[in-house]
Amino acid sequence: MESVEVFTSEGKGRGLKAQKEFLPGDVIFAEPAYAAVVFDSLTHVICHTCFKRQERLHRCGQCKFAHYCDRTCQRVAWLNHKNECSAIKKHGKAPTENIRLAARIMWKIEREGSGLSEGCLVSIDDLQNHVDNFGEEEKKELHADVQSFLEFWPPQSQQFGMQYISHVFGVISCNGFTLSDQRGLQAVGVGIFPNLCQVNHDCWPNCTVIFNNGKIELRALSKISPGTELSVSYVDFLNVSEERRKQLKKQYYFDCSCEHCKKQIKDDLMLAVKQGESKPSAETVKEVVQFSKDTLEKINKARMEGLYHEVVKMCRECLKKQEPVLGDTNIYLLRILSIASEVLSYLQMFEEAAHYAKKMVDGYMKIYHPNNAQLGMAVMRAGVTHWHAGLIEAGHGLICKAYAILLITHGPSHPITKDLEVMRVQTEMELRMFQQNEFMYYKMREAALKNQKIQVMPEPSNETSPGLFHKKE
């Protein structure tokens, strides 16, 4: 791989640095999974080869567990599924995703050895496992996983020592990469990508990672000069530096020393309160923040139960308390705005949803990196909401903005970018019609909505955008 090289990064261990210049949107490298599996809860609706969501999938006739788009996907999968298929039949049922992934890794090692695979900069043996950093609870889970693995692993396959099996589970725990469906909207599986594992974290990174067409792509977010270390963010930036550091320490066992954490950059925006004559007291701010935290907990419970009208009621009540006290970029205000706009869109209350979505996007633009993938997705959702609300000028503007971001973060060939391009062309055409004859535009829109049921927005989910690395709950 000529575009990057492994080096020892100061204070971080191994890292990757650029060997040549990259511009925003450039693919630095694309990497197929060393091994990957579909989540337990989605094994019957996601293809086990390409990880696409399909209406009807073909089931493996032998184990009755694996599902595929068609015979092509099934043939491609056979090398990796052959041993698994036989083991599932003998075991009587499929084990959990972690056991299945560990087994696939070890069957690959049995076939190819544990050295460097083709195109890999590092072997599975050399990946970090952090087993020594595990707490008591994690050690119990590791022990349970190892026992379950030994019950599933066929006696005729190559036998591995307990230490090596523990190493593989440790690698999965801290290096398992979340795979998303073809549109990048839902986490559907977990895989191991050895080259990606070498890219260190930065809260304000110069790269992003996208799963596209069966491979992960490491894409440049800004201009990268030769010799510059490549970085991605392991966590969402929409948290104050102290919270991000806690999350990174708990999940990935390191203390973040990036510039944004050291200097607490943007923390002031994320904790902003109203200024001027109406500046609230510290006590009032504390009360509103606590009320926001309590409301978010109640909202999560109501969403799990599908009580969406109750969610809207709680959001409105919370916003009434927040708006006179919290600044426009305060993370607690932005979280409520995000939920309110998403749930109202699902309930087809588009005008109110658009109002909240606009405020949310305005706040996000001041906080996120201009080429952040989550920002791009949020702007896209806001654009679609405005479009559905009949606010064609604002809707088209937001869709164009989202398209510009996603061209860099996802690339022109990604399904979500292609969808967005179709929307951009459609809204541009509607905007021209609106500018020529506003009355006629609304008449035609009204007629179209009567004849064609408006497309329902996807059901709200408690799951945020798929995170970079998959952590077992």
Side-chain angles (χ1 to χ4, degrees):
M1 201 179 290
E2 294 171 9
S3 59
V4 296
E5 71 167 329
V6 179
F7 79 114
T8 303
S9 176
E10 195 179 337
K12 295 181 184 176
R14 265 194 303 223
L16 285 189
K17 66 180 176 183
Q19 288 278 69
K20 62 175 194 175
E21 182 179 88
F22 294 101
L23 297 174
D26 282 351
V27 176
I28 296 167
F29 65 76
E31 180 182 14
Y34 183 87
V37 294
V38 173
F39 287 152
D40 296 336
S41 58
L42 299 169
T43 53
H44 58 296
V45 291
I46 300 294
C47 175
H48 290 216
T49 299
C50 66
F51 293 86
K52 288 178 180 174
R53 179 182 283 278
Q54 301 286 3
E55 284 293 313
R56 289 182 182 177
L57 293 169
H58 295 266
R59 190 170 67 165
C60 172
Q62 297 291 313
C63 66
K64 310 281 193 277
F65 168 73
H67 288 74
Y68 305 101
C69 296
D70 49 31
R71 297 291 174 210
T72 304
C73 276
Q74 191 165 5
R75 276 196 297 274
V76 170
W78 184 240
L79 181 65
N80 290 313
H81 179 57
K82 184 179 177 183
N83 294 109
E84 177 186 70
C85 186
S86 168
I88 288 170
K89 278 196 294 179
K90 283 184 181 153
H91 191 57
K93 62 175 185 177
T96 62
E97 63 215 29
N98 264 25
I99 312 302
R100 288 186 285 119
L101 183 54
R104 283 191 166 215
I105 289 169
M106 284 187 256
W107 276 314
K108 185 157 183 170
I109 289 168
E110 184 180 59
R111 286 196 310 271
E112 300 176 3
S114 61
L116 284 178
S117 293
E118 188 183 349
C120 283
L121 297 165
V122 63
S123 70
I124 292 291
D125 289 5
D126 291 330
L127 292 177
Q128 287 188 314
N129 62 51
H130 287 296
V131 169
D132 293 341
N133 300 109
F134 281 14
E136 282 308 307
E137 202 52 46
E138 288 168 308
K139 282 177 183 169
K140 272 188 203 168
E141 286 177 7
L142 174 62
H143 180 71
D145 278 346
V146 170
Q147 290 308 311
S148 299
F149 173 83
L150 291 171
E151 287 166 19
F152 176 67
W153 190 249
Q156 71 272 20
S157 289
Q158 181 183 336
Q159 297 305 302
F160 295 89
M162 295 284 274
Q163 196 174 347
Y164 193 79
I165 297 169
S166 296
H167 165 73
V168 169
F169 278 109
V171 165
I172 291 169
S173 176
C174 57
N175 291 296
F177 175 79
T178 305
L179 305 179
S180 54
D181 62 7
Q182 63 265 45
R183 298 186 75 238
L185 299 176
Q186 186 191 9
V188 297
V190 56
I192 294 294
F193 297 81
N195 295 340
L196 175 63
C197 293
Q198 300 308 293
V199 183
N200 285 318
H201 164 83
D202 195 298
C203 290
W204 200 258
N206 54 20
C207 298
T208 191
V209 182
I210 292 296
F211 187 61
N212 186 17
N213 201 23
K215 292 182 179 181
I216 62 100
E217 293 176 349
L218 185 72
R219 306 181 67 91
L221 292 179
S222 50
K223 185 179 173 183
I224 299 171
S225 302
T228 304
E229 179 171 7
L230 305 172
S231 60
V232 292
S233 182
Y234 296 177
V235 295
D236 185 8
F237 185 68
L238 202 68
N239 250 324
V240 291
S241 51
E242 185 187 355
E243 287 302 315
R244 292 197 306 272
R245 291 179 93 167
K246 275 186 198 168
Q247 193 182 347
L248 289 161
K249 183 72 172 174
K250 185 182 174 190
Q251 293 189 349
Y252 306 105
Y253 313 103
F254 70 87
D255 296 302
C256 184
S257 57
C258 79
E259 197 75 3
H260 276 66
C261 279
K262 277 196 295 193
K263 295 183 177 175
Q264 301 180 334
I265 298 169
K266 304 226 176 196
D267 280 10
D268 56 337
L269 285 174
M270 293 193 227
L271 298 175
V273 297
K274 291 286 184 196
Q275 296 299 316
E277 288 176 19
S278 57
K279 185 178 178 181
S281 66
E283 191 57 38
T284 304
V285 173
K286 192 177 172 185
E287 280 173 20
V288 170
V289 166
Q290 190 55 53
F291 182 81
S292 303
K293 288 178 180 177
D294 295 342
T295 302
L296 283 163
E297 276 186 32
K298 290 176 191 169
I299 283 171
N300 283 340
K301 191 167 178 285
R303 285 172 89 177
M304 298 277 279
E305 294 168 12
L307 303 171
Y308 299 124
H309 286 282
E310 191 59 33
V311 169
V312 170
K313 189 178 163 189
M314 284 191 275
C315 285
R316 285 174 182 151
E317 186 188 344
C318 193
L319 286 166
K320 200 179 277 186
K321 284 187 182 287
Q322 287 178 334
E323 285 173 339
V325 175
L326 305 182
D328 295 344
T329 54
N330 188 289
I331 50 174
Y332 295 104
L333 174 68
L334 294 175
R335 281 170 191 159
I336 297 291
L337 288 169
S338 173
I339 294 165
S341 62
E342 184 191 2
V343 174
L344 284 161
S345 290
Y346 175 69
L347 296 173
Q348 297 190 32
M349 298 159 80
F350 293 117
E351 282 188 38
E352 190 181 355
H355 171 69
Y356 294 141
K358 176 73 169 66
K359 285 186 163 189
M360 174 194 74
V361 164
D362 287 347
Y364 280 1
M365 297 287 243
K366 292 171 186 169
I367 290 175
Y368 277 119
H369 186 289
N371 291 331
N372 180 286
Q374 280 160 304
L375 172 64
M377 297 296 282
V379 176
M380 180 188 79
R381 282 193 293 270
V384 172
T385 301
H386 279 75
W387 183 19
H388 280 326
L391 304 166
I392 188 64
E393 286 176 295
H396 178 66
L398 287 163
I399 284 168
C400 288
K401 209 171 275 182
Y403 184 65
I405 297 170
L406 264 61
L407 273 177
I408 290 169
T409 60
H410 290 61
S413 69
H414 194 282
I416 201 88
T417 318
K418 288 179 177 177
D419 286 353
L420 204 45
E421 167 66 355
V422 171
M423 288 185 227
R424 191 182 69 78
V425 171
Q426 174 68 24
T427 54
E428 188 177 339
M429 186 180 71
E430 288 186 24
L431 179 58
R432 272 203 297 269
M433 190 192 297
F434 173 81
Q435 287 166 340
Q436 285 164 5
N437 191 328
E438 199 173 320
F439 175 77
M440 190 55 72
Y441 168 75
Y442 283 117
K443 273 291 187 195
M444 287 180 74
R445 178 183 153 77
E446 197 180 320
L449 291 178
K450 273 182 186 169
N451 294 330
Q452 179 190 342
K453 193 181 173 193
I454 198 157
Q455 184 190 350
V456 175
M457 301 291 267
E459 186 168 357
S461 140
N462 270 357
E463 196 180 289
T464 52
S465 300
L468 183 61
F469 289 105
H470 171 67
K471 297 298 287 183
K472 197 165 114 176
E473 296 299 324

